[in-house]
């Protein structure tokens, strides 16, 4: 059976209604945070390259590097392959990120095929590329492919939001949160949107750093 895709805000609202009906704590979070964002993105090479650029740097730094790369026309696989290390360093990439960018370019991923592939296959394909971990692959499936039932339990903000919303004694680890998220199927991607939004509420209320 083909997986449900989130195309528009009506789909997000449908998922939110399902979650609210199934869980009083989710209903509370949705009441505090609606309307929830769509957060759909394009798919393809440049989205994953941008994710690599963003690793371990601030949002401002990542945006600055990505702007330089776009200005230098270094956002496509051929351009990355043809560019020298000096050109990539000048755009702001570290030695490690240059290696990751080249690995992504050489992977020759069939991005069109990923649109129809099962989520498990999408994640398995992407994590084979150096520099792309499970979190990045799950975020790609969630927002670039619009999968409705994907979650990213390794995300610290999701962990902290779950701790606050469900009044847990400590932040759940990745495995525990993944198991917890099974209760939010088949709308785990909407549950993630709820928790990210609730994280901002909780952070303001509790002074989380």
């Amino acid at each position: 059976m083909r997986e449900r895709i989130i195309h528009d805000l009506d789909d997000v609202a449908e998922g939110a209604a399902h979650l609210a009906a199934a869980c009083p704590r989710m209903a509370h979070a949705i009441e505090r945070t609606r309307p929830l964002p769509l957060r759909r993105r394009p798919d393809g090479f440049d989205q994953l390259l941008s994710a690599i650029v963003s690793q371990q740097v601030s949002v401002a730094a990542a945006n600055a590097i990505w702007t330089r790369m776009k200005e230098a026309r270094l956002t496509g696989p051929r351009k990355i392959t043809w560019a020298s290390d000096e050109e990539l360093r000048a755009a702001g990439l570290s030695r490690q990120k240059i290696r990751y960018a080249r690995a992504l370019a050489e992977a020759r991923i069939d991005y069109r095929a990923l649109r129809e592939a099962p989520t498990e296959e999408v994640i398995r394909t992407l994590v084979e590329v150096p520099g792309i971990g499970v979190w990045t692959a799950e975020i790609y499936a969630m927002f670039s492919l619009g999968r409705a039932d994907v979650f990213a339990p390794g995300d610290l903000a999701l962990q902290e939001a779950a701790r606050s919303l469900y009044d847990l004694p400590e932040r759940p680890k990745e495995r525990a949160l993944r198991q917890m998220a099974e209760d939010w199927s088949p709308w785990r991607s909407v549950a993630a949107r709820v928790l990210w939004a609730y994280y901002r509420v909780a952070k303001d209320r509790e002074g989380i750093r």
Side-chain angles (χ1 to χ4, degrees):
M1 184 172 64
R2 185 172 181 179
E3 296 180 43
R4 179 71 185 263
I5 303 297
I6 293 177
H7 295 286
D8 52 36
L9 286 171
D10 287 342
D11 295 323
V12 175
E14 181 182 345
H18 174 93
L19 293 167
C23 174
R25 297 311 301 165
M26 272 286 167
H28 168 75
I30 291 165
E31 182 65 28
R32 295 290 305 274
T33 58
R34 62 184 176 185
L36 297 172
L38 179 59
R39 298 183 73 156
R40 279 301 304 268
R41 304 171 183 167
D43 64 337
F45 175 88
D46 62 333
Q47 291 296 308
L48 290 171
L49 180 61
S50 177
I52 288 172
V53 167
S54 300
Q55 291 174 0
Q56 298 180 324
V57 297
S58 68
V59 172
N63 289 340
I65 295 169
W66 190 243
T67 296
R68 290 200 296 271
M69 292 186 69
K70 288 193 292 186
E71 290 172 348
R73 301 182 183 276
L74 292 173
T75 59
R78 292 184 180 178
K79 295 290 188 178
I80 293 295
T81 299
W82 295 339
S84 66
D85 286 0
E86 290 73 21
E87 289 173 313
L88 294 173
R89 275 198 295 270
L93 293 188
S94 65
R95 180 182 302 175
Q96 184 181 56
K97 289 183 180 180
I98 290 172
R99 181 169 67 85
Y100 291 164
R102 293 198 188 283
L104 180 62
E106 293 166 3
R108 299 185 182 277
I109 295 170
D110 186 341
Y111 293 100
R112 287 183 179 273
L114 289 186
R115 296 174 187 174
E116 305 297 328
T119 294
E120 292 78 8
E121 182 180 334
V122 170
I123 294 171
R124 186 167 58 248
T125 298
L126 296 183
V127 298
E128 289 178 353
V129 181
I132 297 179
V134 172
W135 180 89
T136 299
E138 288 170 335
I139 294 298
Y140 183 87
M142 194 182 301
F143 296 130
S144 290
L145 298 181
R147 302 299 169 86
D149 200 28
V150 181
F151 199 72
D155 188 279
L156 293 180
L158 292 180
Q159 294 174 5
E160 182 58 34
R163 181 203 65 78
S164 178
L165 179 61
Y166 288 90
D167 196 25
L168 302 176
E170 60 183 11
R171 183 187 298 166
K173 303 298 185 183
E174 181 173 352
R175 179 180 295 181
L177 186 55
R178 189 178 296 279
Q179 183 174 0
M180 189 175 174
E182 291 178 3
D183 290 340
W184 304 323
S185 184
W187 291 103
R188 282 176 282 189
S189 290
V190 176
R193 288 166 169 83
V194 173
L195 289 173
W196 274 312
Y198 191 76
Y199 174 76
R200 291 192 293 272
V201 173
K203 184 175 181 180
D204 289 342
R205 187 180 69 241
E206 300 179 6
I208 297 168
R209 292 292 181 266

